[in-house]
Amino acid sequence: MEGVGRILCAIYTRLSKEDDGRQRTESESIQNQKSLLTHYAIERGWEIYAIYCDEDFSGVDGARPDFNRMIEAARQKKFQIVLCKSQSRFTRDMELVEKYIHGLFPVWGIRFIAVADSADTEVKGNKKARQINGLVNEWYLEDLSENIRMVFDLKRREGKYIGGFPIYGYRKDPADKNHLIPDPEAAEVVRQIFQWSLEGHGRQGIAHLLNQRGVPNPTRYKAERGWGSGHPVKNDFGLWNKTTIWRILRNEMYTGVMIQGRRKKVSYKSKIIIDTPEDQWYRVEGTHEAIIDRAAFEAVQQGLRLRTKTGGSGEAHLLAGLVKCAGCGSTMSKCSNGKQSYLRCKLYADSGKNKLCTRHSVRLDQLVELVSERIRRYVQTYYELDPSDLQPQKDTRREALEQERRTLAAQLGKRSQALKTLYLDKVAGVISEGQFMELNESFLNEKSRLERRLGKIDEELANREQFQRQTGLMEKAQELLKLETVPRELVIGLVEKIEIGEKHPETGRQNVSITWKF
């Protein structure tokens, strides 16, 4: 043991945002702790071995740097006393209390003193008080975590962005950190990615095109502008890959919808993060400017679901993934005789000598021409049947729902604040435990009622959005049909599948059936 004949103590101070609710700066509070403990040690004739300080670290965090340096010095028996202002400064985690204060410290010959709590491991009969303090600290942290979660959930429900770094294509609004605005340069790349996907390019093909043009991937782009998270950039060349393209093409936030809560911590005491079910995500329409319009996004999703396979060119043909064999239902595959491209039954092509289906062969160019003409007729007929439905009308019901939603969200915010105030009143002794339980139950019941009503409003808004998407697609179809070639975006948006029958052996006639989406 170093310092034989004299008593050495280690002073430990800590402060985090969870503790400082009285508008004092963290540095001032840390200084107050150091001053108090230094005088306490000097008055008792103890020499200070070292002062350890962790600022802006939670009391449940076992990875605090100075805390762990102090523990290592204690393990090496560099001092005899650990001195803290209160047991909560040392830790709020009951497991750490038991591990160190009641477990390893006695083995290492370390005395623990918490001045404000009158906790001293040298005083017999003091252990139960320390254990109770540990439980109270842990309950406080658990309640605080719940209150913070409620505040974050409210912000998510209101469509306010609470993440650290926005998705590629957006940046935080300088005037409001909870609002996103498009980042012009990155947003243009996102638009190009969606356009290439609509044209039939696969994910790997899109990544190749971006790399050819020297466009930095999202990680490199952020790092070059000083927006990185502090983690090293793994891809030194800033190259795109198909996984990154997939994530961008699948992200609904590009349509102006705020989606949060996809992942969460297992508990306030754990750093493990798990995925949450999609029905538990927070999804709010119209919170920020869309980079991709809804019709284009849905068309891309349909294309991704079709899982179109391309040739070496990285580009799929206009009808890829949509053409089915009328005999067996399998997808038709593309083949060529060197002059013309054909589609034929995949089951026929893959079954070797023992054919499980017939050829059902059709020339690709003729099928494209036929389908394009039928699409033109379909869209024109749709307009003639019910043109009144396509006239822009003020959606008063939607406006009323959105207004009610905003009102309910504000009420939820007040309930959350009331719950926090109620807890603080209980801790301060303003109300009794019985009063707290009664009022807390009332607030929680009201909060549950508001959340149920919000869920119903969100469901109705989603249904109305679906109808508007359908109408919007048909309106856009009129513009797309002015093009010489019908674009894949329109084909995917309108066609569910195209079934090809076998040619009649005598007449050569072949049935082509189109199933429309609506």
Side-chain angles (χ1 to χ4, degrees):
M1 172 78 73
E2 291 189 7
V4 176
R6 55 195 178 125
I7 298 176
L8 297 175
C9 75
I11 290 175
Y12 180 73
T13 63
R14 180 190 65 80
L15 187 74
S16 67
K17 293 177 181 178
E18 73 196 23
D19 306 304
D20 193 13
R22 291 167 290 197
Q23 303 301 316
R24 297 180 305 178
T25 65
E26 292 181 342
S27 59
E28 286 176 343
S29 184
I30 287 289
Q31 290 302 320
N32 288 338
Q33 290 181 53
K34 290 179 179 178
S35 177
L36 170 69
L37 298 174
T38 299
H39 281 92
Y40 188 91
I42 291 174
E43 286 175 357
R44 284 153 182 77
W46 302 337
E47 294 186 30
I48 298 173
Y49 171 77
I51 297 178
Y52 298 92
C53 174
D54 284 315
E55 197 161 354
D56 200 18
F57 281 91
S58 169
V60 77
D61 188 353
R64 288 169 275 159
D66 258 26
F67 177 84
N68 286 319
R69 279 193 284 273
M70 179 184 69
I71 292 297
E72 182 55 33
R75 189 190 312 275
Q76 297 176 19
K77 302 181 180 180
K78 300 287 187 180
F79 48 81
Q80 297 105 320
I81 297 173
V82 169
L83 186 61
C84 299
K85 180 181 177 181
S86 65
Q87 187 171 299
S88 65
R89 297 306 93 199
F90 181 79
T91 183
R92 290 189 183 276
D93 188 340
M94 193 61 191
E95 291 181 13
L96 291 182
V97 170
E98 292 299 324
K99 179 179 179 179
Y100 291 114
I101 298 179
H102 300 150
L104 293 174
F105 280 5
V107 175
W108 297 338
I110 301 294
R111 177 184 177 188
F112 176 80
I113 298 175
V115 177
D117 297 336
S118 298
D120 187 343
T121 54
E122 196 174 73
V123 178
K124 293 183 178 180
N126 197 244
K127 183 176 180 180
K128 288 183 179 179
R130 293 194 302 273
Q131 289 175 324
I132 291 172
N133 280 338
L135 286 172
V136 170
N137 287 328
E138 188 157 328
W139 292 337
Y140 168 79
L141 198 62
E142 185 176 358
D143 288 348
L144 184 65
S145 174
E146 177 63 17
N147 285 334
I148 292 173
R149 185 193 65 79
M150 289 168 59
V151 172
F152 282 168
D153 285 351
L154 175 62
K155 288 186 176 182
R156 293 186 183 104
R157 195 175 287 110
E158 293 175 339
K160 295 180 179 179
Y161 183 75
I162 62 172
F165 300 95
I167 61 170
Y168 180 73
Y170 287 99
R171 63 174 63 173
K172 289 186 178 181
D173 187 343
D176 181 0
K177 66 179 182 179
N178 298 126
H179 179 245
L180 300 183
I181 58 176
D183 174 37
E185 186 177 345
E188 189 56 39
V189 175
V190 172
R191 294 188 188 99
Q192 182 63 73
I193 289 172
F194 273 83
Q195 184 58 42
W196 277 331
S197 181
L198 288 171
E199 292 171 359
H201 291 276
R203 290 172 287 156
Q204 190 62 55
I206 294 173
H208 179 67
L209 288 169
L210 290 169
N211 290 332
Q212 275 189 326
R213 298 186 178 193
V215 178
N217 67 9
T219 303
R220 173 62 61 186
Y221 181 81
K222 291 178 181 179
E224 288 176 352
R225 285 153 183 76
W227 301 342
S229 61
H231 300 295
V233 179
K234 295 180 181 179
N235 188 342
D236 293 335
F237 301 101
L239 297 178
W240 292 79
N241 57 59
K242 63 181 182 181
T243 301
T244 304
I245 300 298
W246 170 263
R247 288 173 181 163
I248 288 176
L249 291 174
R250 294 283 292 166
N251 199 328
E252 194 181 2
M253 284 185 66
Y254 291 118
T255 67
V257 178
M258 181 63 70
I259 299 177
Q260 299 183 99
R262 300 186 194 209
R263 309 185 75 200
K264 67 178 182 180
K265 282 187 175 182
V266 175
S267 74
Y268 73 96
K269 295 176 67 174
S270 173
K271 294 186 178 181
I272 298 175
I273 298 176
I274 60 173
D275 294 329
T276 56
E278 188 171 345
D279 59 2
Q280 294 180 18
W281 294 355
Y282 292 86
R283 185 180 181 279
V284 184
E285 300 271 357
T287 60
H288 52 276
E289 182 182 338
I291 293 177
I292 305 299
D293 67 68
R294 172 57 63 177
F297 181 81
E298 293 298 340
V300 166
Q301 303 318 298
Q302 176 67 8
L304 293 174
R305 285 192 291 270
L306 291 173
R307 297 181 181 179
T308 54
K309 294 185 178 180
T310 64
S313 65
E315 185 173 351
H317 62 80
L318 183 67
L319 307 178
L322 293 170
V323 187
K324 310 292 182 181
C325 171
C328 67
S330 63
T331 302
M332 304 280 277
S333 59
K334 182 181 175 182
C335 60
S336 175
N337 62 7
K339 295 181 180 180
Q340 293 288 346
S341 293
Y342 293 84
L343 296 180
R344 64 180 179 181
C345 174
K346 191 174 186 300
L347 190 58
Y348 169 84
D350 294 345
S351 56
K353 294 182 179 180
N354 299 319
K355 300 300 183 184
L356 301 176
C357 192
T358 54
R359 186 183 296 271
H360 291 76
S361 179
V362 61
R363 269 180 54 171
L364 179 58
D365 60 338
Q366 293 177 352
L367 180 62
V368 168
E369 184 178 349
L370 173 64
V371 172
S372 297
E373 180 56 33
R374 289 196 185 180
I375 287 177
R376 295 178 196 278
R377 290 206 307 267
Y378 177 80
V379 174
Q380 291 164 1
T381 302
Y382 181 94
Y383 268 77
E384 291 174 1
L385 284 175
D386 199 358
S388 62
D389 287 343
L390 302 176
Q391 298 301 318
Q393 296 180 1
K394 187 175 182 180
D395 192 346
T396 55
R397 175 60 178 166
R398 181 183 182 87
E399 290 180 358
L401 288 170
E402 289 177 341
Q403 178 59 44
E404 184 181 359
R405 193 184 191 291
R406 287 191 290 270
T407 301
L408 290 174
Q411 291 177 1
L412 266 173
K414 292 178 180 178
R415 296 299 183 279
S416 298
Q417 183 59 42
L419 283 168
K420 182 178 181 180
T421 302
L422 185 66
Y423 175 78
L424 293 175
D425 286 346
K426 185 195 76 169
V427 173
V430 176
I431 61 175
S432 66
E433 181 70 24
Q435 291 173 319
F436 171 78
M437 295 298 292
E438 182 179 350
L439 292 171
N440 187 58
E441 183 179 2
S442 175
F443 280 132
L444 289 176
N445 288 338
E446 177 65 10
K447 177 174 174 287
S448 178
R449 184 189 67 79
L450 293 173
E451 288 176 339
R452 287 196 301 271
R453 176 56 187 158
L454 269 174
K456 291 180 179 179
I457 291 175
D458 287 341
E459 183 178 352
E460 184 172 347
L461 285 173
N463 291 336
R464 300 183 76 84
E465 178 69 20
Q466 179 64 29
F467 173 77
Q468 290 177 355
R469 290 176 195 168
Q470 175 178 317
T471 302
L473 177 61
M474 296 308 296
E475 290 174 339
K476 189 173 183 181
Q478 288 286 39
E479 295 299 319
L480 293 174
L481 288 179
K482 295 176 183 178
L483 302 174
E484 183 176 344
T485 302
V486 175
R488 180 168 171 80
E489 174 185 356
L490 183 55
V491 177
I492 292 174
L494 294 177
V495 176
E496 184 69 38
K497 64 180 177 179
I498 304 164
E499 294 178 293
I500 308 297
E502 186 61 273
K503 285 183 180 179
H504 193 280
E506 296 179 2
T507 65
R509 291 177 61 84
Q510 189 172 25
N511 183 54
V512 176
S513 174
I514 298 178
T515 301
W516 306 99
K517 288 188 173 179
F518 52 88

